[in-house]
């Protein structure tokens, strides 16, 4: 039985049965009389227990909930009764107030509780456990909640989810509605997680014409940013036009070319884009992208052209010494000897090579020599995990590049730059394949005139997650001194991990049968991805514990996030295996993800306020329901996240191979199936294998693995660093 006749119902929100934090869809019960309650369902983004609500909708019969009101529109008011106020405060909407504390407040101040909080917060100090600081925090939270409600009402009409509405308010505060109304496309840059489609939808609902130049300009800028997310620094103009037309769904019956041309002209005139022409193709980019890559080229050319600072040592004598075993019997091969000499004779040197080729031995010997010359040396790597590996290999203090450059809180850049250069003679940077164009530009700006730069990295690994292909382009340009280590040392040949990494790099299928080798590489053949979860259960519950591995020692590295064998699905399964729900334990569901105490999680964006970066892995150590926060331990640092910021974290029992760069895990499990074919390429599989320290388990379909190994055509990134280094190419 249902009716389309619009009904109006008023009452107090009694219970929230279900709420999807992403879409805002909720099922609630509303007490309409002292003896009668009704069920209502719909997009109820800012509804809390205890509030007075007026609903407009149609009646229907739900198979589970029975007769219910399907809500079309609604309005809420702050409750006036004591019981309503208590439910309202206990609902968790105000940070610092939970059910027990809400009861204390209402007992103390009755129906004047909300008035006291807002107008006389000092009276809260009469409640046990409340000091001036907490009282002010509660007052501000109530005021913010009122303003949030105004923003929610505004954004609800624009179909913006609750989670993003909170983020918008957090970014713009009381100016939210004003800023969004003036330029909704600002949301894309200012509020992480808000994409072009959401901002565009708001813009259209605010009355922006679908064929307006402003909308097309926003479309072009989005096309550039979308290309950047795939590692490109530029996008060719024709592709940008095509993507913009598709993105904006411009009518096919109009001639859009003049509109596109006008938008590009205005962007260029306002210096919002740069234009680069090469090989009869035209490319566009954002000015910061262009200036960063040009800046890298300029500094590299300066380093190449500047003679190395003379050391207090005779180089020929030193070279003769390097050709002999040292006191510990360590003997360098010719490539390692050439590498050390290049580092001493040039302002910039690149050392590249795969696992087991002696990069660490070279660096340790170089450090000994530089110590004898009494020069200042600093070591750095792109991530905390990479820095830790370098420290373990060399025994020398190693910093992240962000810490080395003294990152300024608030995301305003680095304290170390041209005007405040680093105090050093030699900077040795490891895992350079991970360094994107923007970070390399910042690093180079901070190198002093007397400084020498030694770049270490494996050019055969995946390029950086961020835009650019710096290590590859530097080597390919031919202007930098480069030493490539190719020889695999005998002790490394005992490891099937290293043997197979090099086999894959040469286009050969991994082997499990090398005489006298360690049993550190396993291949498990599966016919279908649906078999993976059962295999993981067996590995984690039986085989890995028998081999002495704990769950924290193990990481699953999948090529992609989606699909039956993707990280999202694997994480759900491993969470159920390793950290299942417990009776009476706290768990939080946000952004369609369950978070539990003890979960391993990964940061998926750079958060400069917290000084935590994309790819950092931590563990949830506390959950605070009353404060609407969780605590995550990253290394030795504990960081707090509000529930509304949990989309910055994802489960990390399994991560993408791209995100594993610079890391090393006791054991890695690498699932490879045909469903991954879009991303399968040689350097992806090579990178995954080289992440394993003691055990590598390759799982999947032989055909898919072979296909990936044969594919040595990595996606070419649109960069011009090589051209800037070797030609007079410039932007217009």
């Amino acid at each position: 039985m249902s009716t389309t006749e619009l009904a109006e119902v008023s009452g107090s929100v009694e219970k929230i049965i279900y709420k999807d934090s992403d879409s805002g869809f909720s099922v609630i019960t509303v007490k309409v009389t002292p003896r009668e309650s009704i069920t209502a369902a719909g997009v109820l983004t800012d509804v809390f227990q205890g509030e007075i609500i007026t609903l407009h909708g149609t009646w229907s019969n739900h198979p589970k909930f029975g007769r219910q009101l399907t809500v079309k529109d609604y309005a809420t008011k702050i409750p006036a009764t004591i019981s309503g106020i208590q439910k309202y405060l206990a609902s968790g909407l105000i940070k610092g107030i939970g059910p027990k504390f809400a009861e204390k407040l209402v007992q103390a101040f009755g129906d004047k509780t909300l008035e006291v909080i807002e107008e006389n917060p000092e009276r809260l100090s009469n409640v046990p456990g409340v000091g001036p600081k907490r009282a002010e925090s509660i007052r501000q939270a109530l005021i913010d909640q009122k303003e949030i409600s105004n923003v929610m009402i505004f954004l609800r009409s624009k179909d913006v989810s609750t989670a993003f509405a909170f983020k918008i308010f957090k970014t713009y505060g009381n100016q939210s509605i004003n800023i969004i109304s003036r330029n909704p496309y600002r949301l894309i840059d200012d509020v992480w997680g808000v994409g072009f489609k959401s901002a565009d939808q708001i813009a259209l609902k605010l009355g922006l014409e679908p064929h307006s130049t402003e909308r097309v300009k926003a479309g072009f800028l989005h096309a550039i940013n979308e290309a950047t997310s795939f590692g490109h620094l530029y996008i060719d103009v024709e592709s940008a036009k095509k993507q913009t037309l598709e993105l904006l769904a411009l009518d096919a019956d109009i001639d859009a070319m003049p509109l596109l041309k006008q938008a590009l002209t205005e962007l260029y005139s306002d210096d919002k884009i740069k234009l680069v022409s090469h090989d009869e193709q035209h490319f566009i980019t954002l000015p910061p992208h262009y200036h960063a890559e040009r800046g890298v080229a300029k500094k590299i050319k300066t380093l190449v052209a500047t003679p190395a600072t003379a050391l207090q040592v005779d180089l020929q004598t030193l070279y003769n010494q390097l050709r002999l075993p040292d006191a510990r019997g360590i003997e360098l091969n010719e490539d390692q000897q050439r590498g050390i000499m290049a580092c001493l004779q040039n302002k910039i040197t690149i050392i590249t090579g795969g696992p087991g080729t002696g990069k660490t031995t070279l660096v340790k010997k170089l450090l000994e020599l530089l110590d004898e010359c009494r020069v200042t040396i600093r070591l750095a790597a792109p991530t905390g995990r990479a820095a830790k590996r370098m420290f373990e290999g060399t025994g020398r203090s190693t910093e992240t590049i962000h810490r080395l450059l003294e990152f300024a809180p608030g995301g305003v850049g680095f304290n170390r730059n041209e005007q405040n250069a680093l105090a050093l003679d030699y900077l040795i940077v490891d895992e350079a394949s991970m360094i994107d164009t923007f970070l390399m530009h910042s690093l180079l700006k901070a190198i002093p005139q007397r400084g020498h730069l030694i770049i270490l990295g494996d050019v055969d690994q995946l390029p950086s997650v961020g835009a650019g292909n710096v290590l590859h382009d530097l080597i390919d340009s031919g202007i930098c001194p480069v030493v490539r280590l190719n020889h695999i040392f005998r002790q490394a040949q005992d490891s099937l991990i290293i043997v197979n990494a090099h086999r894959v790099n040469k286009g050969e299928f991994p082997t499990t049968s090398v005489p006298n080798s360690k049993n550190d590489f396993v291949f498990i053949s599966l016919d279908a991805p649906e078999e993976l979860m059962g295999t993981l259960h067996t590995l984690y519950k039986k085989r890995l514990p028998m081999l002495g591995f704990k769950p924290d020692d193990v990481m699953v590295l999948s090529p992609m996030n989606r699909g039956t064998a993707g990280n999202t699905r694997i994480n759900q399964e491993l969470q159920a295996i390793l950290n299942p729900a417990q009776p009476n334990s706290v768990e939080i569901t946000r952004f369609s993800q369950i978070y539990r105490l003890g979960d391993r999680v990964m940061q998926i964006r750079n958060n400069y306020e917290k000084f935590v970066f994309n790819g950092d892995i931590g563990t949830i150590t506390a959950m605070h329901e009353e404060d609407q926060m969780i605590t995550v331990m990253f290394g030795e640092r504990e960081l707090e996240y509000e529930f509304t910021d949990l989309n910055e974290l994802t489960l990390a029992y399994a991560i993408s191979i791209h995100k594993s760069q610079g890391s090393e895990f006791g054991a890695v499990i690498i699932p490879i199936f045909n469903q991954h074919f879009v991303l399968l390429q040689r350097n992806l599989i090579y990178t995954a294998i080289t992440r394993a320290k003691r055990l590598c388990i390759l799982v999947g379909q032989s055909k898919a693995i072979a296909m990936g190994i044969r594919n040595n055509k990595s996606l070419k990134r649109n960069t011009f660093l090589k051209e800037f280094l070797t030609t007079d190419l410039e932007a217009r």
Side-chain angles (χ1 to χ4, degrees), residues 378-381 399-408 413-418 420-422 424 427 429 435 438-448 611:
R378 294 183 75 173
L379 280 65
E399 305 162 273
T400 64
I401 294 175
H402 282 80
R403 194 169 294 282
L404 172 81
L405 299 180
E406 298 174 14
F407 188 80
F414 297 99
N415 289 327
R416 294 291 185 173
N417 48 43
E418 303 99 324
N420 184 27
L422 293 163
L424 54 79
L427 174 61
V429 180
I435 303 176
F438 309 106
L439 187 57
M440 181 59 82
H441 185 220
S442 296
L443 182 67
L444 290 170
K445 286 193 294 183
I447 294 176
F611 204 77

Side-chain angles (χ1 to χ4, degrees), residues 77-371:
K77 291 192 300 184
I78 291 176
T81 66
I82 291 176
S83 62
I85 291 169
Q86 182 172 331
K87 285 182 180 179
Y88 179 70
L89 292 174
S91 64
L93 83 162
I94 298 178
K95 183 180 173 182
I97 299 181
K100 291 182 180 178
F101 190 54
E103 184 179 357
K104 283 184 180 180
L105 289 175
V106 171
Q107 285 177 350
F109 305 112
D111 60 6
K112 302 294 184 185
T113 300
L114 298 178
E115 183 182 320
V116 168
I117 292 174
E118 189 169 354
E119 297 177 11
N120 304 104
E122 67 279 357
R123 291 182 60 191
L124 296 179
S125 301
N126 297 328
V127 178
V130 180
K133 188 175 179 181
R134 188 178 184 190
E136 176 57 26
S137 174
I138 292 170
R139 185 190 74 87
Q140 190 58 52
L142 181 63
I143 292 171
D144 287 350
Q145 181 55 42
K146 285 186 175 182
E147 187 59 37
I148 287 172
S149 294
N150 293 334
V151 174
M152 292 287 196
I153 292 168
F154 172 77
L155 293 176
R156 192 171 70 216
S157 64
K158 318 303 176 197
D159 296 332
V160 178
S161 72
T162 306
F164 285 134
F166 274 117
K167 282 184 169 291
I168 290 167
F169 177 79
K170 195 174 176 183
T171 303
Y172 301 134
N174 295 343
Q175 294 298 309
S176 296
I177 295 174
N178 186 31
I179 290 172
I180 294 167
S181 298
R182 286 205 313 267
N183 180 13
Y185 295 108
R186 274 189 61 178
L187 293 169
I188 303 168
D189 295 324
D190 295 346
V191 183
W192 187 78
V194 175
F196 180 86
K197 289 186 177 179
S198 298
D200 190 48
Q201 178 179 288
I202 295 172
L204 292 173
K205 292 204 171 189
L206 286 169
L208 188 69
E209 288 295 325
H211 300 109
S212 70
T213 308
E214 289 304 311
R215 184 168 182 250
V216 178
K217 287 195 291 186
F220 271 121
L221 295 177
H222 176 73
I224 295 172
N225 283 317
E226 190 73 2
T228 302
S229 71
F230 288 98
H232 303 292
L233 282 167
Y234 306 81
I235 181 173
D236 69 274
V237 173
E238 293 308 311
S239 294
K241 287 178 179 178
K242 182 181 177 182
Q243 289 180 29
T244 300
L245 285 172
E246 291 175 355
L247 180 71
L248 303 181
L250 295 176
D251 295 340
D253 57 358
I254 70 159
D255 182 5
M257 289 305 114
L259 185 58
L260 294 173
K261 184 177 180 180
Q262 176 65 24
L264 281 173
T265 300
E266 290 185 16
L267 286 169
Y268 182 76
S269 299
D270 295 338
D271 199 29
K272 295 293 180 64
I273 60 171
K274 289 287 186 182
L275 178 66
V276 176
S277 299
H278 181 64
D279 286 346
E280 299 183 356
Q281 260 192 306
H282 303 297
F283 296 82
I284 56 175
T285 187
L286 303 179
H289 294 29
Y290 170 77
H291 291 303
E293 194 170 50
R294 287 286 295 181
V296 170
K298 182 180 178 182
K299 183 71 176 196
I300 292 292
K301 286 197 277 191
T302 299
L303 288 170
V304 169
T306 306
T309 304
L311 296 172
Q312 301 301 312
V313 63
D314 181 73
L315 292 179
Q316 184 59 50
T317 302
L318 176 61
Y319 180 61
N320 292 335
Q321 291 175 356
L322 290 176
R323 298 173 66 184
L324 300 172
D326 65 13
R328 294 161 297 179
I330 297 174
E331 187 173 358
L332 303 178
N333 64 25
E334 288 187 14
D335 289 338
Q336 290 173 309
Q337 295 165 26
R338 284 195 305 110
I340 289 176
M341 295 305 295
C343 293
L344 301 177
Q345 292 174 302
N346 299 284
K347 277 280 190 173
I348 178 170
T349 307
I350 298 173
I351 309 290
T352 185
T357 57
K359 290 196 301 293
T360 301
T361 301
L362 183 156
V363 172
K364 289 171 72 174
K365 185 63 178 178
L366 176 64
L367 288 168
E368 291 176 12
L369 295 172
L370 292 175
D371 283 343

